[in-house]
Amino acid sequence: MAIHDLCLDATFGKVEHAVFARERNGFCGHGKFLSVDWRLGYRSIGLKQHKIGPQEREMAEGIAERIGVAGLGRMGQAIAESCAKAGYSVAGWTRSGVTPEAAQALGIAPCQTLAELAAGSDIVILSLFDDAAVSEVLGQLVQANLSGKLVVDTSTVSPGTLRAAEAAVNVAGALAVDAPISGGPEMVRGGVSGVFMGGAEEAVQRFAPVAAILSDKAAHIGDLGQGLAAKIVNNTVIGGYLEILKEAVQTGKRAGLTMEAMMGLLSKSPVANPFLMHRLPVLLGEEGWVGFAANGARKDAILFWETADALGVEAPALKAYMESATAFVEEGGGEEDVAMIVRSAYLNA
């Protein structure tokens, strides 16, 4: 079994380095989750592991399936580029158009229409901003002949959106999978994002070799829509963590602690996790890179809270995070990394 270690060397005031080491050893992460084990990283817990057989390995080498990516924002670009580098034939479409230069940089073929993308693809991957965009694109896709194709939605939207279109997708000849991604574009390119898949076993197995390119911990959660439900659960925990971290650093600053001292403490304590470790440079103000923009985090938080509310869950921690993300965006921080919500709160405490 592959071992995934997070190697840490931290002092109280500064984290010296944090390095991910990963080995595939012929496995994709189908049905397998990894959880943090403080100081020395990850161990397998959870569902069944799926070993790639000869047919799937051939697909993973880009011999069998043609990939089409609808939506070339930051995540869509990362998905398209990763699949192309893995050997797949990849085409891309976006509503604003794909220039030849942009397509060449990603290693993909540009498509001017969705119909062109669908006609030249065996697996159509959606990477879109919200429910309205997904519904619009699905509505156009099902007008085409999708016989034998697979439609995979990686967007973060309501679990009901793809379910509502499933019958139309099936009538057009395709199967559907929801496969939302947890983690930013840099994690997709590194193959270490999380992918939560929902759908029929046949459809998920077909997408598994592609998911293995994007993730070392992809999992088949259950029926269509349950991948998105799983992402809501996962990211609700992250949102609550960010909100508590924000309140903690505000309290610590007013008690006389520096951010360096607090991050040094937390990075060596049981509350450390990959999210914290990955964003320490942002929290410390040492780097300004953007893994996941606050605009997207706010949109997702609103979706997650509305889903919880519709299910009769009060979710006060999630609501507080949603309000924090909204306030940060309204103050002009929408294009900054989501971790800047915490750093901004510290600076203004």
Side-chain angles (χ1 to χ4, degrees):
M1 182 178 296
I3 303 298
H4 308 265
D5 290 330
L6 176 63
C7 306
L8 306 177
D9 182 4
T11 60
F12 236 55
K14 182 177 171 132
V15 173
E16 297 298 333
H17 61 269
V19 180
F20 278 106
R22 49 189 289 271
E23 302 172 42
R24 285 197 187 276
N25 292 343
F27 289 92
C28 76
H30 175 62
K32 180 188 70 174
F33 283 119
L34 303 173
S35 70
V36 72
D37 186 9
W38 173 240
R39 292 301 300 174
L40 288 175
Y42 295 90
R43 61 182 183 276
S44 295
I45 64 172
L47 312 177
K48 62 183 179 180
Q49 186 167 344
H50 172 68
K51 184 162 182 155
I52 297 176
Q55 182 177 2
E56 288 170 307
R57 187 177 303 282
E58 181 178 284
M59 294 164 101
E61 291 170 353
I63 296 172
E65 304 273 31
R66 298 167 299 165
I67 305 295
V69 179
L72 293 173
R74 295 175 69 246
M75 287 295 285
Q77 289 182 32
I79 293 168
E81 185 176 20
S82 296
C83 290
K85 286 183 175 179
Y88 282 92
S89 172
V90 182
W93 170 89
T94 189
R95 284 179 289 184
S96 59
V98 186
T99 66
E101 294 77 15
Q104 183 177 14
L106 295 172
I108 67 174
C111 292
Q112 301 309 311
T113 66
L114 267 174
E116 180 187 355
L117 183 81
S121 304
D122 301 304
I123 299 177
V124 180
I125 299 175
L126 277 58
S127 179
L128 303 165
F129 186 70
D130 57 18
D131 289 81
V134 170
S135 295
E136 178 185 345
V137 168
L138 286 172
Q140 294 181 50
L141 276 177
V142 297
Q143 301 304 311
N145 180 2
L146 301 179
S147 297
K149 300 183 188 294
L150 182 66
V151 176
V152 180
D153 186 17
T154 66
S155 317
T156 301
V157 295
S158 168
T161 298
L162 189 55
R163 285 177 186 154
E166 182 182 16
V169 170
N170 293 161
V171 168
L175 294 177
V177 170
D178 62 303
I181 296 172
S182 182
E186 77 288 345
M187 295 184 72
V188 170
R189 288 188 171 94
V192 294
S193 67
V195 177
F196 309 116
M197 296 179 287
E201 182 72 18
E202 173 191 356
V204 170
Q205 289 286 350
R206 183 175 173 184
F207 184 62
V210 181
I213 295 167
L214 313 176
S215 172
D216 59 350
K217 43 190 171 286
H220 184 189
I221 302 299
D223 297 335
L224 191 69
Q226 291 186 334
L228 280 157
K231 173 153 187 188
I232 290 173
V233 170
N234 183 80
N235 284 40
T236 292
V237 174
I238 293 175
Y241 184 85
L242 270 168
E243 182 63 26
I244 291 297
L245 189 58
K246 169 194 159 185
E247 295 172 10
V249 299
Q250 287 174 313
T251 302
K253 182 176 181 181
R254 293 185 184 183
L257 298 178
T258 65
M259 182 65 98
E260 289 74 15
M262 287 186 281
M263 291 303 104
L265 166 67
L266 294 176
S267 67
K268 298 182 73 173
S269 80
V271 305
N273 61 28
F275 184 89
L276 175 71
M277 302 306 297
H278 191 55
R279 281 177 162 79
L280 277 175
V282 177
L283 292 166
L284 292 169
E286 296 173 352
E287 295 181 12
W289 59 266
V290 179
F292 185 43
N295 275 327
R298 177 201 186 192
K299 184 271 296 182
D300 287 357
I302 292 171
L303 168 67
F304 301 158
W305 184 81
E306 288 177 344
T307 301
D309 186 59
L311 294 171
V313 179
E314 292 186 11
L318 180 56
K319 185 177 182 180
Y321 167 62
M322 176 182 69
E323 292 171 348
S324 292
T326 297
F328 183 71
V329 169
E330 291 177 348
E331 291 166 1
E335 297 303 317
E336 297 187 76
D337 186 77
V338 64
M340 283 298 297
I341 295 173
V342 177
R343 180 157 181 82
S344 177
Y346 167 80
L347 294 174
N348 293 319

